[in-house]
Amino acid sequence: MLFPLHLSWHAFTAILVPRTNTQFLRRHSSKNRHTGARMSSMSDIPNLLATHPKSITYIGPVQVAPSKILGEDICCGNGLFVTRSVSTHELLFSIGLTDNAIISLRTAMKDVDCGDALHELAQSKTPGSQTMALAGWLAKTRIGDFIDGDRPTDEVRVSYVRALPWTAEDQDHVLWWDEEDAQRLLEGSSLYKEATFIRTEVSTAVSRLTDILTPVILPRVEANAEELKKRLGLDKMDTESLCNDLLSTYLRGAFVIFMTRSFDSLGGGPKEESRLV
């Protein structure tokens, strides 16, 4: 589904954006951790869609694979490629899913762990509250999947969320920059004011969502603390700080995803976007 992605939280209080924990990001986004899981998950999605019990989907002679510049061994993300020669007007794929296989605002509001809190947030009068609620669900789902070790899954939603660009290595964005970098690269330009506004509002949203999600995520972090610290190389970090870092990283990543994709609204307002994720 698609969702209007216009961040207009003018009611938010302006605050300084904290420095992103780049050490945590570097460890967490290494090629043998998130990026490897993301590439594998992206490749699995066509098969998951075709075999999903709630899906009316046909996947023809296509596959998801790394996209590279000819003659260079540099990965430029993922692309959809044909696996054989195809004829004019040949159907390559078609996707038809019910609500049980679609990510939408309703998905967030019906979540078993935090649906009530996200529903209350989405129904509040805070500008951008629906975007915040769905971003919270995306981050909560990705963190849970990461804590579980990115195990193989036949759940389309989990596999799709895993395949999104969650780190600065996957997709660069001003939200990942340090304040010093934003000033050095943008100050004096027409983009600086807008970038500062976006970074400030997202920082405020991350703080609010952290309050909502901590009661859900912290017990899972505590139950898997030793393994998580070992995987991330953060042996000396206390459990509460580890939970906060996970939430800060993935919530910020969720807003980066929203700024480069969009999701349909579920009533209560006009559709502003009709762009597939």
Side-chain angles (χ1 to χ4, degrees):
M1 296 287 286
L2 308 173
F3 194 77
L5 178 64
H6 300 285
L7 304 182
S8 56
W9 307 315
H10 301 294
F12 284 172
T13 303
I15 60 174
L16 292 177
V17 180
R19 288 179 62 91
T20 302
N21 189 336
T22 53
Q23 182 182 37
F24 177 81
L25 286 173
R26 280 196 299 270
R27 288 196 178 105
H28 185 56
S29 62
S30 60
K31 293 297 182 182
N32 63 343
R33 289 194 179 97
H34 173 76
T35 303
R38 178 183 175 228
M39 297 287 278
S40 175
S41 182
M42 182 69 78
S43 299
D44 290 342
I45 286 176
N47 180 59
L48 290 173
L49 288 173
T51 58
H52 194 280
K54 300 294 184 179
S55 169
I56 306 173
T57 298
Y58 166 74
I59 303 296
V62 295
Q63 67 177 7
V64 177
S67 180
K68 296 183 179 181
I69 299 174
L70 291 177
E72 299 184 23
D73 190 24
I74 301 175
C75 182
C76 301
N78 292 295
L80 190 66
F81 298 87
V82 294
T83 57
R84 59 169 173 76
S85 297
V86 295
S87 305
T88 303
H89 304 306
E90 180 177 355
L91 178 63
L92 300 181
F93 66 91
S94 64
I95 299 175
L97 298 171
T98 67
D99 285 346
N100 291 327
I102 293 174
I103 296 172
S104 66
L105 180 60
R106 185 178 288 112
T107 308
M109 295 191 298
K110 290 187 175 182
D111 185 81
V112 296
D113 297 317
C114 55
D116 289 344
L118 294 178
H119 184 276
E120 182 179 351
L121 172 61
Q123 297 301 314
S124 70
K125 295 182 179 180
T126 303
S129 59
Q130 293 187 351
T131 300
M132 289 172 58
L134 192 46
W137 182 87
L138 286 173
K140 174 258 179 184
T141 300
R142 178 62 193 126
I143 293 171
D145 185 35
F146 176 72
I147 291 175
D148 289 340
D150 294 327
R151 292 186 296 231
T153 179
D154 58 1
E155 174 55 55
V156 174
R157 285 174 174 164
V158 173
S159 188
Y160 173 73
V161 170
R162 183 187 299 173
L164 292 170
W166 282 101
T167 70
E169 284 191 1
D170 294 327
Q171 183 167 306
D172 191 18
H173 194 278
V174 67
L175 288 178
W176 292 125
W177 297 359
D178 293 335
E179 182 62 27
E180 290 84 350
D181 288 334
Q183 290 181 353
R184 177 174 56 85
L185 295 170
L186 297 178
E187 192 168 21
S189 73
S190 59
L191 295 176
Y192 182 69
K193 183 177 180 179
E194 181 180 356
T196 300
F197 175 75
I198 291 173
R199 285 163 54 83
T200 299
E201 291 202 325
V202 167
S203 182
T204 304
V206 166
S207 178
R208 183 168 182 179
L209 287 168
T210 295
D211 292 340
I212 292 174
L213 296 179
T214 294
V216 176
I217 299 299
L218 183 56
R220 298 194 62 181
V221 172
E222 290 174 337
N224 298 273
E226 296 307 315
E227 180 184 353
L228 284 171
K229 291 177 183 179
K230 183 177 180 180
R231 286 165 61 191
L232 295 171
L234 300 172
D235 296 335
K236 296 182 180 180
M237 179 176 285
D238 64 88
T239 303
E240 186 172 344
S241 296
L242 177 57
C243 177
N244 288 337
D245 270 351
L246 284 169
L247 285 167
S248 176
T249 297
Y250 282 111
L251 284 169
R252 197 167 298 274
F255 284 104
V256 171
I257 288 166
F258 267 109
M259 291 181 184
T260 52
R261 289 154 185 80
S262 52
F263 297 77
D264 252 342
S265 59
L266 288 176
K271 290 185 178 181
E272 299 182 21
E273 298 286 348
S274 297
R275 197 170 63 234
L276 286 177
V277 180

